Amino acid sequence: MSWLNEFDDRLAALDAQSLRRRRREVVPEQGARLNVDGESLLAFCSNDYLGLSQAPELREAVRTAVDHYGVGAGASPMVSGHSVANAALERELAGAVGLPRALYFYAGYATNASIVPALVGEGDALFSDALNHACLIDGARLSKAVVHRYRHADLRQLDALLAASPARRKLVLSDAVFSMDGDVADIATLHALCERHDALLLLDDAHGFGVLGPQGRGALAAVGLTGAGASPRVLYMATLGKALGVAGAFVAGPDRLVEWLLQKTRSYTYATAAPALLAEAVRASLRCVLGADGEHRRQQLRARIAQLRTGLAPGADGRIDAAGWTLMPSDTAIQPLVIGDNETALSVMAALRDQGLWVPAIRPPTVPAGTARLRIALSAAHDAADVDTLLRALRMAAARTAMATA
Ligand SMILES: *Cc1c(COP(=O)(O)O)cnc(C)c1O
């Protein structure tokens, strides 16, 4: 029998463990609502933190760009794909994050998966936070460097690992905002450790760019390691499909490092450039983010975060406490409500869905065993009534859980 037939059994095994994933077909509606397989749901699962994916300014930028540039880029940026729009975007991104130079990629996953192997290789050493995003992990694997994983946010352990490593080239990898916990890395200490041990720091700010720092300039700007304070040993990476509401990513930093990445990153050289229409959409988005509109959207987002945290704080509602649920300490748009066991997390997700709410349950192995959670993602597209609706539904579900376990 051909091994190809085994895929039926392997898929059945996924079903047996409730691990088979299914996609929903969605159409955006008003605000944070999505039409999902024909049903209108209030969504708390999007990383469109500022609601910019639906902004009229971005739509208009794309319409104009299509008339001017057409659709596809036609070739790698190393050949004829590097449009004047993409070049302008790179200068604007560098300016926005206060770093000397930026390189614009068509996707965030591909960026990290391929810049890590461009920077280090066999005989070199990588140091990676245990909760880093999959694309950093995959980049580490591709690089063939020795990988040292340190416990999440345990910078003492990182210090010890860096000190013990005999490698001459050391690269530290960290998310700036951790995607399943919503906490922010201690970037100042990470940078200080890199100075002490002559290491390079690569920060992935997929969830911070547009939201954190002055004018949304990101997590690195928030700690002053940009502009006059820019460091020769930091590479800053951020994505453009989350708070920026479009698609793609960029890496920014010292000229010699960015120039090296331009020369050696395979997903840059051997992939068709991002279409100019997307670069123009990002440029329009960046203007919003840095301007009064962005400030207003960030205020909205902060208000929703405060509203949710107040509503779920210990003591605020006995039902949440009685169910044993805990909101993790996060100041960002990612607000994880830890429920504990997988079945309860799934049944709460289902109960919310019955009430027209889409809040994703995240289970191991994406998160540690026993910490299944609802990953509540807030956005400037939510209004106060949306968060109230969520709070009411969570309280009802908590009361049911507390009763079932009493
Ligand atoms: C989403 C995400 C990426 C991938 O970016 P895409 O542009 O969606 O491919 C990379 N890193 C982190 C931390 C992310 O959350």
Side-chain angles (χ1 to χ4, degrees):
M1 188 179 92
S2 164
W3 66 284
L4 298 180
N5 296 328
E6 291 165 15
F7 284 102
D8 294 328
D9 293 336
R10 293 170 77 179
L11 285 168
L14 289 181
D15 286 331
Q17 300 166 271
S18 324
L19 288 177
R20 167 106 66 139
R21 307 167 82 159
R22 286 190 172 77
R23 296 170 305 169
R24 311 276 172 227
E25 296 186 14
V26 307
V27 182
E29 292 180 343
Q30 224 21 52
R33 300 197 77 85
L34 293 174
N35 189 288
V36 185
D37 295 327
E39 182 191 356
S40 176
L41 296 179
L42 180 56
F44 290 92
C45 45
S46 169
N47 303 314
D48 180 18
Y49 303 126
L50 298 179
L52 282 168
S53 75
Q54 305 301 313
E57 294 90 337
L58 276 65
R59 294 173 192 259
E60 191 50 42
V62 170
R63 280 188 208 105
T64 310
V66 164
D67 287 344
H68 199 70
Y69 297 100
V71 182
S76 159
M78 305 309 261
V79 187
S80 61
H82 190 52
S83 134
V84 294
N86 299 31
L89 173 60
E90 287 185 342
R91 289 188 291 273
E92 290 162 10
L93 286 168
V97 296
L99 294 171
R101 191 170 165 193
L103 196 59
Y104 166 50
F105 285 76
Y106 68 93
Y109 177 91
T111 304
N112 280 337
S114 57
I115 61 177
V116 176
L119 294 165
V120 292
E122 219 162 323
D124 302 335
L126 281 165
F127 302 82
S128 179
D129 187 289
L131 293 191
N132 277 343
H133 191 267
C135 56
L136 285 172
I137 296 168
D138 293 354
R141 286 186 185 141
L142 275 171
S143 76
K144 302 197 181 79
V146 178
V147 182
H148 303 276
R149 224 170 80 120
Y150 58 94
R151 284 181 296 274
H152 174 52
D154 188 342
L155 301 191
R156 277 167 183 276
Q157 189 191 10
L158 172 61
D159 189 21
L161 288 168
L162 283 164
S165 166
R168 208 171 66 80
R169 298 196 192 116
K170 299 172 184 154
L171 174 60
V172 176
L173 308 175
S174 182
D175 284 15
V177 177
F178 290 88
S179 51
M180 293 301 141
D181 287 33
D183 58 327
V184 182
D186 178 354
I187 295 168
T189 305
L190 282 169
H191 178 251
L193 291 181
C194 287
E195 296 230 286
R196 183 183 302 164
H197 299 285
D198 191 23
L200 173 65
L201 176 61
L202 171 58
L203 274 181
D204 175 346
D205 199 22
H207 299 277
F209 183 56
V211 179
L212 300 181
Q215 294 170 285
R217 292 172 191 271
L220 194 62
V223 296
L225 284 168
T226 55
S231 165
R233 54 180 74 251
V234 178
L235 275 172
Y236 176 85
M237 178 272 186
T239 67
L240 304 167
K242 289 173 177 148
L244 273 281
V246 187
F250 68 98
V251 55
D255 183 63
R256 61 182 175 197
L257 294 180
V258 175
E259 176 63 21
W260 179 255
L261 292 176
L262 171 61
Q263 300 303 322
K264 291 292 174 186
T265 306
R266 292 170 67 82
S267 78
Y268 194 79
T269 304
Y270 298 109
T272 302
L277 68 93
L278 289 183
E280 289 294 349
V282 177
R283 294 180 72 195
S285 181
L286 202 53
R287 286 192 288 275
C288 290
V289 163
L290 297 174
D293 180 38
E295 211 44 60
H296 178 69
R297 288 171 189 267
R298 282 185 292 278
Q299 264 168 25
Q300 290 295 310
L301 174 60
R302 279 196 294 272
R304 299 293 83 81
I305 294 170
Q307 186 188 351
L308 183 84
R309 292 201 67 83
T310 306
L312 294 178
D317 185 80
R319 288 162 288 189
I320 300 286
D321 301 341
W325 299 354
T326 39
L327 190 63
M328 294 185 73
S330 158
D331 302 325
T332 65
I334 304 165
Q335 293 290 326
L337 182 63
V338 176
I339 286 178
D341 77 274
N342 298 351
E343 270 60 57
T344 312
L346 285 177
S347 73
V348 174
M349 178 181 173
L352 295 177
R353 163 117 195 183
D354 287 343
Q355 296 185 54
L357 301 172
W358 187 1
V359 188
I362 311 285
R363 291 169 293 157
T366 307
V367 295
T371 70
R373 66 195 65 178
L374 296 179
R375 181 187 183 275
I376 303 167
L378 294 172
S379 164
H382 292 120
D383 60 23
D386 292 337
V387 173
D388 274 335
T389 303
L390 174 64
L391 285 170
R392 266 196 309 277
L394 284 171
R395 285 170 184 153
M396 276 168 59
R400 227 174 292 127
T401 302
M403 229 148 37
T405 52

